[in-house]
Amino acid sequence: MDRRTEVTGAATMRKVASLAGVSVATVSRFLNGTARVSDAKRTTLENVIGRLNFKPNMLAQGLKMGSSRTIGVLTPPLGSDYRNDMLNGIDQAMSAAGYAPLIVSGHRHADDEVERIELLIARRVDGLVILTDKLPDQQILGFSARVPIVAFGRELNGANAFGFGLDNYQAACELAEYLICLGHRSIAFIAGPGQADAAARLAGYLDTLARHGIDADPGLIVPGDWTEAGGVLAVSRLLESGRRFSAIFAANDLAAYGARLALYRRSIRVPEDISIVGFDDLHSSMYATPPLTTVHQPLCEAGRRIGEALLMLIDGKPCRIDIPPMHLVVRESVRRI
């Protein structure tokens, strides 16, 4: 910390104490929330602090108390609406409790994720949020011996770690059921990469077909990578294969956007010729042409739950949170056949 800033802060704290008629120690305890003062004295202190426009160095105060008042957030590459909604929720929960997030990306590489976690711990964060999937559970539990951790998209239950995810399987079942109830039997599937949520969505699709006595055609299941370009490539492969299908279940909205573009370039109409559904309910999905039927993920709310869970761990309390449900959003990209 800059020595000049420290001296200036100390001088201002002495001035607050003098004008409010209390000791410097009382001002310090008042600022960190541990002072017991009367309502009248509290009002006096607040008025003096406001009049002097005193902004204490909260980081320095926190470190003296063994807390940096920051939390680290490890994410995949930044920039997607999906992650931004979740980060907003985390920020809302932590800001309300006086914490600031430090956000870093692991770039989808395990070594980079380890390096970033070590960096955040070295910066003395009070807790960690992990939104990535490259590290095994045991490695995360090992880090939790050093700092409280909440991980999204995996089940974790440790003394200093907690993990949860949304029910991707059940939501995928609901989405496939919707297509089947509208008469679709030949449903192509654009898969996601090898992650737990992608696997759960594929399993929901397959199990729902099986429950209706529909044999899954392996040739209608094509790989994707969560991107628009991956959706374009997947549909190109489907069309070049010569297989017939009436609907496309894209494992996320971005892949559905790419699928829609690939069909448009071949003059195939949506939904008149082929129906499309996505998964995530990104903000832009309601403005797609046509507006996309999809599954709404309550990502901002999930982010708040992540923040609440981390605060419980930081306070040494067991985690008890309600996991928000996902639900189907019906728009105009599917037709009955």
Side-chain angles (χ1 to χ4, degrees):
M1 181 176 61
D2 188 293
R3 178 64 182 168
R4 183 177 56 189
T5 302
E6 183 178 17
V7 171
T8 301
T12 308
M13 194 177 293
R14 286 195 294 270
K15 190 168 185 179
V16 170
S18 174
L19 292 174
V22 298
S23 67
V24 172
T26 296
V27 175
S28 178
R29 289 196 301 273
F30 176 77
L31 291 170
N32 63 41
T34 61
R36 294 182 179 179
V37 297
S38 66
D39 290 343
K41 188 60 69 176
R42 178 180 300 276
T43 300
T44 299
L45 281 164
E46 290 173 347
N47 288 339
V48 170
I49 290 169
R51 189 162 72 248
L52 295 178
N53 194 28
F54 178 40
K55 295 178 175 63
N57 188 327
M58 299 305 293
L59 176 60
Q61 285 188 320
L63 291 176
K64 289 177 183 177
M65 300 173 66
S67 168
S68 67
R69 308 301 291 179
T70 60
I71 59 111
V73 183
L74 177 66
T75 79
L78 299 169
S80 73
D81 288 345
Y82 181 93
R83 292 301 174 195
N84 289 343
D85 282 350
M86 187 167 286
L87 291 173
N88 282 335
I90 294 169
D91 184 52
Q92 289 171 20
M94 303 311 297
S95 296
Y99 288 83
L102 300 178
I103 301 169
V104 298
S105 173
H107 306 114
R108 298 195 186 281
H109 294 289
D111 290 344
D112 286 350
E113 291 184 8
V114 170
E115 180 186 345
R116 296 303 185 184
I117 289 173
E118 291 287 2
L119 172 65
L120 290 168
I121 293 176
R123 287 178 175 267
R124 301 180 66 177
V125 294
D126 295 323
L128 278 175
V129 171
I130 295 180
L131 304 179
T132 61
D133 64 351
K134 296 303 180 184
L135 299 183
D137 291 352
Q138 284 304 119
Q139 194 165 10
I140 292 175
L141 290 172
F143 281 120
S144 74
R146 300 160 63 186
V147 64
I149 293 177
V150 173
F152 181 73
R154 65 178 83 206
E155 298 292 329
L156 282 181
N157 282 294
N160 212 27
F162 180 73
F164 73 95
L166 302 178
D167 195 343
N168 286 274
Y169 173 81
Q170 187 56 46
C173 288
E174 184 179 356
L175 189 53
E177 184 79 26
Y178 174 73
L179 290 172
I180 293 169
C181 288
L182 291 181
H184 296 278
R185 293 294 184 272
S186 297
I187 304 170
F189 188 89
I190 302 176
Q195 299 172 201
D197 49 359
R201 294 173 196 182
L202 176 57
Y205 157 83
L206 292 172
D207 288 352
T208 304
L209 291 182
R211 279 195 296 272
H212 285 269
I214 302 171
D215 293 330
D217 179 355
L220 290 181
I221 301 172
V222 290
D225 60 2
W226 296 140
T227 70
E228 298 94 328
V232 171
L233 181 59
V235 168
S236 297
R237 289 174 175 170
L238 284 168
L239 295 175
E240 289 165 5
S241 74
R243 284 178 165 81
R244 297 179 64 84
F245 52 94
S246 64
I248 297 172
F249 183 145
N252 73 329
D253 283 2
L254 294 181
Y257 300 163
R260 172 69 183 89
L261 176 60
L263 295 174
Y264 168 78
R265 286 174 172 171
R266 290 165 175 79
S267 300
I268 298 172
R269 301 169 300 169
V270 176
E272 291 84 358
D273 300 322
I274 292 178
S275 297
I276 296 180
V277 298
F279 202 111
D280 289 336
D281 194 24
L282 301 181
H283 296 301
S284 50
S285 291
M286 70 177 70
Y287 301 108
T289 307
L292 184 67
T293 293
T294 184
V295 167
H296 177 73
Q297 292 206 68
L299 297 174
C300 188
E301 186 62 28
R304 283 194 288 268
R305 297 289 194 275
I306 290 169
E308 292 166 4
L310 187 57
L311 289 170
M312 293 176 194
L313 288 181
I314 291 172
D315 291 340
K317 300 174 182 177
C319 288
R320 294 186 180 89
I321 64 169
D322 295 323
I323 298 175
M326 295 191 271
H327 64 268
L328 178 65
V329 178
V330 175
R331 296 196 179 104
E332 300 158 49
S333 62
V334 179
R335 77 174 184 94
R336 183 182 296 276
I337 60 174

